[in-house]
């Protein structure tokens, strides 16, 4: 027996196994919307078809556009696709009186408690965030940076410029965007 064929086989088998694993873990099929809307006859590259999956947040496939009115000024906002945000959207339209809290956020009592099923234990809000503070059954809207809070569930985010208007507002109206 000659050892050369065995040495060649010893080099090829690990490479073939790695290729098989890489192929099994890669989804080469284009997303269904791209497949139906693409008029090109060129096949999609594996890198192009996997890029959207790497950047799309899990479980956040849709969002709801809403409109905020702060002291007569309309501001666009978006609710995320969480059970808590959907429960909040079911209460719209709402007009709420705002109170300032810690010179960073405006809060308002909600008509009823929201579902927090599947929600994280807490959140670190960003400027412009809309959130639900479950322990007090309040909508919290942020115009300055605030620390992590247990019981806080992020609902969505205001468009640019909303946080500046929020700082001086005493009332907020929230409705589904037309």
């Amino acid at each position: 027996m000659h050892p050369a064929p065995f040495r060649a086989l010893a080099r090829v088998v690990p490479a073939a196994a790695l290729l098989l694993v890489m192929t099994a873990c890669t989804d080469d099929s284009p997303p269904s919307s791209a497949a139906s809307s693409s008029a090109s006859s060129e096949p999609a590259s594996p890198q192009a078809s996997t890029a959207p999956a790497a950047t799309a947040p899990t479980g956040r496939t849709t969002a709801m556009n809403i409109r905020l009115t702060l002291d007569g000024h309309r501001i666009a906002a978006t609710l995320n696709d969480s059970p808590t945000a959907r429960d909040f959207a079911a209460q719209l339209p709402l007009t709420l009186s705002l109170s300032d809290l810690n010179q960073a956020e405006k809060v308002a009592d909600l008509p009823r408690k929201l579902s927090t099923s599947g929600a994280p234990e807490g959140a670190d809000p960003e400027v412009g965030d809309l959130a639900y503070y479950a322990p007090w059954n309040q909508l919290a809207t942020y115009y300055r940076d605030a620390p992590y809070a247990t019981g806080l569930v992020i609902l969505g985010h205001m468009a640019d410029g909303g946080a500046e208007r929020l700082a001086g507002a005493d009332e907020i109206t929230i409705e589904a965007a037309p």
Side-chain angles (χ1 to χ4, degrees):
M1 273 192 171
H2 293 285
F6 289 114
R7 274 186 261 154
L9 188 60
R11 282 188 230 127
V12 172
V13 169
L18 181 60
L19 181 61
L20 182 61
V21 169
M22 294 294 288
T23 304
C25 294
T26 304
D27 178 13
D28 287 337
S29 61
S32 60
S33 61
S36 62
S37 64
S38 175
S40 172
S41 61
E42 295 179 27
S45 70
Q47 185 178 20
S49 67
T50 58
T55 59
T58 306
R60 306 285 178 175
T61 56
T62 61
M64 178 182 183
N65 292 326
I66 59 172
R67 182 174 54 207
L68 311 177
T69 304
L70 296 166
D71 293 333
H73 299 279
R74 291 184 174 172
I75 297 160
T78 304
L79 294 179
N80 61 42
D81 187 28
S82 68
T84 307
R86 288 191 301 269
D87 196 19
F88 175 72
Q91 292 189 30
L92 301 181
L94 289 172
T95 298
L96 305 167
S97 295
L98 295 170
S99 300
D100 195 81
L101 184 65
N102 300 322
Q103 298 178 347
E105 65 187 282
K106 295 284 185 152
V107 297
D109 294 329
L110 291 174
R112 67 168 174 79
K113 289 192 172 281
L114 301 179
S115 167
T116 55
S117 174
E121 184 178 307
D124 186 5
E126 296 179 6
V127 172
D129 276 349
L130 305 171
Y132 175 59
Y133 187 60
W136 295 348
N137 188 43
Q138 288 186 326
L139 174 68
T141 52
Y142 292 87
Y143 62 91
R144 288 204 180 116
D145 192 35
Y148 175 92
T150 301
L152 188 69
V153 180
I154 303 297
L155 301 174
H157 196 79
M158 290 181 258
D160 291 340
E164 292 81 19
R165 290 242 180 248
L166 178 64
D170 294 321
E171 186 177 86
I172 187 171
T173 299
I174 309 156
E175 56 194 335

